[in-house]
Amino acid sequence: MQEKQWYVLYVKRNHEKKVEQRINQWDKAIEAFCPTRTEVRNWSDRKKKIQIPLLPRIVFIQATAQDRNTVFNIPGTVRYLYDNGKPGIVREAEIQFLKNNLDTLDIASHTLQPITAGATLPLDDFGMPDQEGVVVKSTKNNLWVVLKSVGFVVKLQLN
C-alpha cells in the first residue's frame, strides 16, 4: 500500500471551502484541508464574522500518488502545484501545526510595508514559525512569494 502525502491543490477563486467540503464527503480515502481564519466584515446594517481561506485558492489534499487525480471529478478544482516537475508536497508537521494553532493565532493584525522583488519575508505572522519566503514579483495588487520549506510559489492578492 502506498503512503499518503499532503499535496497542494489549486482551485478556482472562492471555491476553497466548497471543494474541501465536497472532497471530504465524496471520497473517504482522500482528506482535504483548507485552513481558514475569522474576519469581521462590515455590511451596511451590521457586522458579521466570516471564515475566509488563509491561503487563497489553495486546498491541501492527503492522498496516495495513485488516488490524487480523482479529485478532478469535483467542480472547482484546477490543478496541483508543482516544484521542479514534481508535485508540491507539504510535511505532515506543517499541516498539523495549521490544524492545531489556527484558532490561537492572531492573524487579524496586519502591518503594511513596501515590498520589492528579492526581499525576504519572515512567515512567523502567517503561521509558519522560523520560516521565510522570498518575494519573486510584486505588482499593485499581487505578490508572488517562494515558500522555501515547500518549494513553490504562492500568489497573494493584496487589497
Side-chain angles (χ1 to χ4, degrees):
M1 181 160 175
Q2 293 181 349
E3 183 179 331
K4 288 186 175 184
Q5 295 183 336
W6 286 98
Y7 297 96
V8 183
L9 180 65
Y10 191 73
V11 299
K12 290 182 180 178
R13 183 180 172 144
N14 297 326
H15 282 71
E16 300 92 343
K17 293 190 295 183
K18 186 58 87 174
V19 167
E20 175 194 26
Q21 178 186 24
R22 287 181 178 163
I23 289 173
N24 287 334
Q25 290 175 348
W26 173 64
D27 190 350
K28 299 301 177 192
I30 299 173
E31 179 184 349
F33 173 59
C34 176
T36 59
R37 65 182 175 92
T38 303
E39 184 174 290
V40 177
R41 294 272 173 101
N42 292 320
W43 272 259
S44 61
D45 60 339
R46 68 188 184 284
K47 290 183 180 182
K48 186 175 180 180
K49 289 184 180 180
I50 60 170
Q51 294 291 321
I52 61 171
L54 184 63
L55 301 168
R57 302 182 80 169
I58 298 292
V59 176
F60 297 106
I61 304 296
Q62 185 181 35
T64 62
Q66 180 180 350
D67 291 339
R68 71 185 180 94
N69 285 333
T70 60
V71 299
F72 294 118
N73 295 326
I74 302 291
T77 58
V78 178
R79 61 183 168 87
Y80 282 103
L81 295 182
Y82 282 78
D83 178 37
N84 295 326
K86 297 179 184 177
I89 296 175
V90 181
R91 295 185 305 242
E92 179 72 29
E94 293 171 337
I95 297 294
Q96 287 305 318
F97 178 82
L98 286 172
K99 286 182 176 181
N100 296 335
N101 297 310
L102 273 180
D103 295 335
T104 59
L105 294 174
D106 182 17
I107 302 173
S109 61
H110 292 77
T111 58
L112 297 176
Q113 300 172 349
I115 300 173
T116 58
T120 301
L121 293 176
L123 300 176
D124 295 338
D125 294 338
F126 300 100
M128 297 181 213
D130 302 324
Q131 296 186 35
E132 295 181 336
V134 177
V135 177
V136 177
K137 179 180 173 184
S138 65
T139 62
K140 181 179 178 183
N141 296 323
N142 297 307
L143 184 67
W144 288 262
V145 178
V146 175
L147 300 178
K148 292 180 180 180
S149 67
V150 183
F152 62 86
V153 177
V154 174
K155 178 182 174 185
L156 304 172
Q157 283 188 317
L158 307 173
N159 292 332

